[in-house]
């Protein structure tokens, strides 16, 4: 009888990412039960009813293809949030209209499209001012949201950790404060005292405080509390990061455009099993996993939140501490979607956000290693162009595993190496030093002799000091 091993028992266990994906799609519309729709689509993220939306954008610069690509990305964001896109409109203008974003003529056309399609929401491809938002809603007679509110909604759906939820709530409240509005009696003064004269009645005199002011004060208190909570969570992260730095473990941060395949690449390199889905901002919470180079050196890989064109500044501010962890890494693994129609624009968008995050830092950004993912689905002409424009980039496919061994080899070459070369004869009674040399250093030569283990290694200064007692020859690199 064959004895079952640990791998036999647990090999089929679902990963954390698979369980999260199953939970995300656990409540869906059942095909064939509706008499209203002919094409019944699955409702993602536990949404029982799809909002029917019309998209509208203003083309102010760039080519027509770029404006259409921006609206196509907005459509993917809307679908990720659980909406059904019915129509999309683009207007060519020198700049957005300060009153209605698209101008009075386009507003009437937009209203006709909303009525004809039966849409209940309009999504604008830009950040609207409070005045633009109010006037558009009054004219099109349906709910209007902008690109920033849409991205914030997706983040709110996908946040899992306590820190992620706090960061998203902080960003939402910062976005909401200047857009607070009141209707009817909610704007009336809650008066008191005798300051208002004799006609108000007892308890109804004086300027008091409006409902709008009360809401704003409560939101500001909540924002202050969230900032304190996030600051305390930053302390925990700094402690963990400080421990890795003290142990001199090299760190690699995976950055890139949303849906470029960062989580898939983390799974391919480390077997982390985090959630992978063909959706924008599928994972938000950073995941750190330990990995090893081909020569046995240990390092950490951290998957960070994805970037997007015109990432809301509220999110950049709320996630600053999380994103700064990437700026403190030893190497940036910049993942590019090779199958995207304009991968160069993705690269520029990521670098722009990184520049905004590190603008106040005195230290430069870590070195960058470009990785072109989805090479199996990319056009060969596009790949040839990217090879020329992004010199030194590594072509991989996280889905098929092509190029992953080559990427691991390049990672090992790019990671910082221990600084001190030591040749020592370590007695067998000090086997822990040999184990540390293998775990934290780079073993160049190893030989077991009668008196102990002869090592030629590159190690960090603290381990070099411990080996100095048994040293036979050493030199600083």
């Amino acid at each position: 009888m064959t004895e079952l091993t640990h791998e036999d028992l647990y090999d089929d266990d679902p990963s954390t990412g698979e369980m999260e994906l199953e939970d995300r799609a656990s409540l869906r519309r059942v095909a064939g039960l509706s008499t209203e729709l002919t094409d019944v689509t699955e409702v993602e993220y536990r949404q029982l009813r799809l909002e029917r939306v019309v998209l509208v954008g203003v083309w102010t610069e760039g080519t027509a293809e770029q404006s259409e690509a921006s609206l196509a990305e907005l459509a993917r964001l809307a679908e990720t949030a659980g909406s059904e896109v019915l129509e999309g409109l683009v207007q060519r203008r020198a700049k957005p209209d300060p009153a209605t974003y698209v101008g009075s003529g386009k507003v009437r056309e937009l209203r006709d499209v909303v009525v004809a399609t039966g849409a209940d929401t309009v999504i604008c491809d830009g950040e609207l001012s409070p005045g633009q938002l109010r006037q558009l809603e009054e004219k099109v007679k349906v709910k209007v949201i902008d690109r920033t509110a849409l991205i914030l909604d997706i983040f709110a759906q996908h946040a899992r950790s306590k820190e992620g939820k706090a960061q998203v709530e902080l960003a939402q409240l910062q976005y909401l404060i200047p857009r607070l509005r009141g209707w009817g009696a909610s704007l009336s003064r809650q008066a008191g005292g005798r300051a208002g004269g004799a006609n108000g009645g007892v308890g109804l005199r004086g300027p008091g405080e409006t409902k709008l002011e009360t809401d704003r004060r409560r939101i500001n208190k909540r924002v202050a509390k969230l900032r304190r909570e996030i600051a305390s969570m930053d302390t925990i992260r700094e402690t963990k990061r400080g421990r890795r730095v003290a142990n001199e473990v090299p760190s690699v941060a995976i950055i890139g455009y949303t849906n470029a395949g960062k989580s898939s690449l983390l799974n391919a390199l480390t077997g982390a099993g985090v959630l992978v889905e063909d959706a924008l901002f599928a994972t938000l919470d950073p995941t750190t996993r330990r990995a090893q180079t081909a020569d046995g050196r240990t390092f950490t890989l951290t998957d960070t939140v994805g970037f997007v064109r015109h990432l809301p500044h509220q999110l950049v501010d709320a996630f600053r501490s999380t994103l700064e962890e990437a700026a403190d890494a030893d190497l940036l693994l910049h993942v590019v979607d090779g199958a995207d129609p304009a991968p160069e624009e993705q690269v520029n968008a990521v670098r722009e956000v990184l520049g905004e995050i590190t603008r106040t830092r005195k230290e430069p950004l870590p070195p960058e290693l470009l990785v072109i993912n989805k090479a199996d689905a990319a056009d060969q002409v596009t790949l040839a162009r990217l090879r020329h424009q992004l010199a030194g980039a590594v072509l991989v496919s996280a889905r098929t595993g092509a190029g992953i061994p080559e990427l691991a080899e390049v990672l090992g070459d790019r990671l910082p190496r221990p600084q001190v070369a030591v040749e020592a004869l370590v007695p067998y009674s000090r086997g822990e030093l040999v184990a540390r040399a293998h775990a934290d250093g780079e073993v160049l030569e190893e030989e077991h002799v009668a008196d102990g283990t002869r090592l030629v290694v590159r190690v960090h200064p603290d381990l070099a000091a411990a080996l100095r007692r048994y040293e036979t020859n050493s030199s600083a690199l």
Side-chain angles (χ1 to χ4, degrees):
M1 180 176 178
T2 304
E3 183 180 355
L4 291 177
T5 65
H6 183 276
E7 289 75 16
D8 294 327
L9 291 173
Y10 296 100
D11 187 55
D12 294 331
D13 285 359
S15 67
T16 304
E18 291 172 339
M19 289 188 289
E20 287 186 16
L21 185 60
E22 182 179 350
D23 178 64
R24 183 172 290 181
S26 60
L27 186 56
R28 65 183 67 198
R29 181 172 291 168
V30 179
L33 298 184
S34 173
T35 59
E36 177 186 359
L37 300 177
T38 56
D39 181 19
V40 181
T41 57
E42 177 183 324
V43 182
E44 297 177 327
Y45 314 133
R46 303 178 299 280
Q47 296 280 341
L48 288 179
R49 175 179 175 272
L50 289 175
E51 287 193 52
R52 298 162 61 83
V53 303
V54 171
L55 311 179
V56 58
V58 174
W59 171 23
T60 59
E61 59 183 4
T63 64
E65 290 78 12
Q66 289 175 328
S67 67
E68 292 176 3
S70 180
L71 205 67
E73 183 177 85
L74 186 68
R76 291 207 64 195
L77 288 169
E79 291 170 356
T80 301
S83 301
E84 180 184 358
V85 179
L86 304 178
E87 189 64 80
L89 305 174
V90 177
Q91 185 188 29
R92 184 72 166 99
R93 294 178 63 95
K95 62 180 180 179
D97 183 73
T100 60
Y101 181 67
V102 292
S104 57
K106 204 67 174 181
V107 165
R108 288 191 292 271
E109 182 181 341
L110 179 60
R111 171 60 184 165
D112 294 339
V113 171
V114 167
V115 173
T117 58
D120 49 29
T121 303
V122 170
I123 304 179
C124 297
D125 191 17
E127 185 168 339
L128 302 180
S129 68
Q132 289 172 327
L133 193 64
R134 182 175 62 253
Q135 291 206 43
L136 263 180
E137 283 193 345
E138 290 176 355
K139 295 181 184 300
V140 300
K141 309 299 182 184
V142 295
K143 181 175 70 175
V144 176
I145 64 173
D146 57 15
R147 182 187 181 94
T148 299
L150 179 62
I151 294 176
L152 289 173
D153 181 77
I154 296 172
F155 270 60
Q157 290 184 35
H158 292 179
R160 288 290 179 267
S161 67
K162 181 179 179 181
E163 182 179 15
K165 291 177 180 178
Q167 289 169 327
V168 172
E169 184 181 356
L170 174 61
Q172 287 179 314
L173 292 178
Q174 288 175 321
Y175 172 81
L176 179 63
I177 288 175
R179 293 168 176 81
L180 284 176
R181 290 177 288 175
W183 293 268
S186 62
L187 287 177
S188 62
R189 297 282 179 175
Q190 308 301 310
R194 296 182 294 175
N199 296 326
V202 176
L204 297 178
R205 291 182 286 265
E209 185 178 38
T210 65
K211 176 67 164 57
L212 200 62
E213 291 166 346
T214 303
D215 290 343
R216 186 173 288 115
R217 176 167 49 82
R218 293 178 63 185
I219 290 176
N220 284 327
K221 289 178 63 177
R222 178 62 179 164
V223 165
K225 182 180 180 182
L226 286 171
R227 288 190 183 279
R228 291 194 299 269
E229 290 180 357
I230 293 174
S232 65
M233 297 173 192
D234 291 345
T235 304
I236 298 174
R237 185 190 292 108
E238 287 292 339
T239 302
K240 293 180 179 179
R241 186 189 307 167
R243 189 178 301 124
R244 293 197 296 267
V245 171
N247 293 333
E248 301 192 31
V249 178
S251 61
V252 178
I254 305 177
I255 62 171
Y257 210 78
T258 179
N259 204 36
K262 298 182 298 300
S263 298
S264 300
L265 194 61
L266 177 68
N267 289 343
L269 288 169
T270 67
V274 299
L275 183 143
V276 172
E277 186 176 9
D278 186 16
L280 304 185
F281 300 113
T283 52
L284 298 181
D285 301 318
T287 302
T288 300
R289 292 292 184 269
R290 184 178 292 265
Q292 280 192 338
T293 62
D295 54 8
R297 286 176 292 142
T298 300
F299 66 99
T300 60
L301 269 170
T302 301
D303 179 20
T304 61
V305 63
F307 298 163
V308 73
R309 297 180 187 92
H310 313 300
L311 189 67
H313 62 86
Q314 296 92 346
L315 281 173
V316 175
D317 180 55
F319 281 79
R320 183 174 299 276
S321 57
T322 301
L323 295 173
E324 281 183 348
E325 187 162 348
D328 290 332
D330 294 299
L331 180 68
L332 294 179
L333 200 63
H334 186 168
V335 184
V336 184
D337 185 356
D340 188 82
E344 299 92 345
E345 294 184 14
Q346 291 190 358
V347 173
N348 294 333
V350 171
R351 289 174 174 171
E352 181 181 345
V353 176
L354 277 178
E356 182 179 348
I357 295 169
T358 59
R359 191 168 293 131
T360 58
R361 293 166 52 95
K362 297 180 180 179
E363 300 86 359
L365 283 172
E368 178 187 69
L369 172 60
L370 283 165
V371 179
I372 302 173
N373 192 24
K374 306 183 184 179
D376 58 316
D379 179 73
Q380 294 301 316
V381 176
T382 302
L383 291 179
R385 187 181 76 247
L386 291 176
R387 284 194 191 97
H388 175 71
Q389 294 180 349
L390 307 176
V394 182
L395 294 178
V396 303
S397 172
R399 185 179 66 86
T400 64
I404 297 298
E406 292 79 3
L407 175 60
E409 184 177 349
V410 174
L411 271 177
D413 294 336
R414 292 287 189 92
L415 286 175
R417 295 179 177 273
Q419 300 174 342
V420 182
V422 177
E423 181 178 343
L425 181 62
V426 183
Y428 290 119
S429 60
R430 298 301 306 274
E432 78 280 2
L433 292 179
V434 178
R436 285 184 59 189
H438 279 279
D440 302 333
E442 182 181 0
V443 178
L444 304 178
E445 294 181 24
E446 182 177 16
E447 181 184 3
H448 299 288
V449 297
D451 297 332
T453 304
R454 189 183 72 83
L455 291 176
V456 178
V457 293
R458 283 194 181 95
V459 293
H460 298 295
D462 59 337
L463 183 54
L467 290 171
R468 202 168 301 280
R469 177 180 176 184
Y470 310 105
E471 183 180 10
T472 58
N473 184 30
S474 68
S475 61
L477 295 180

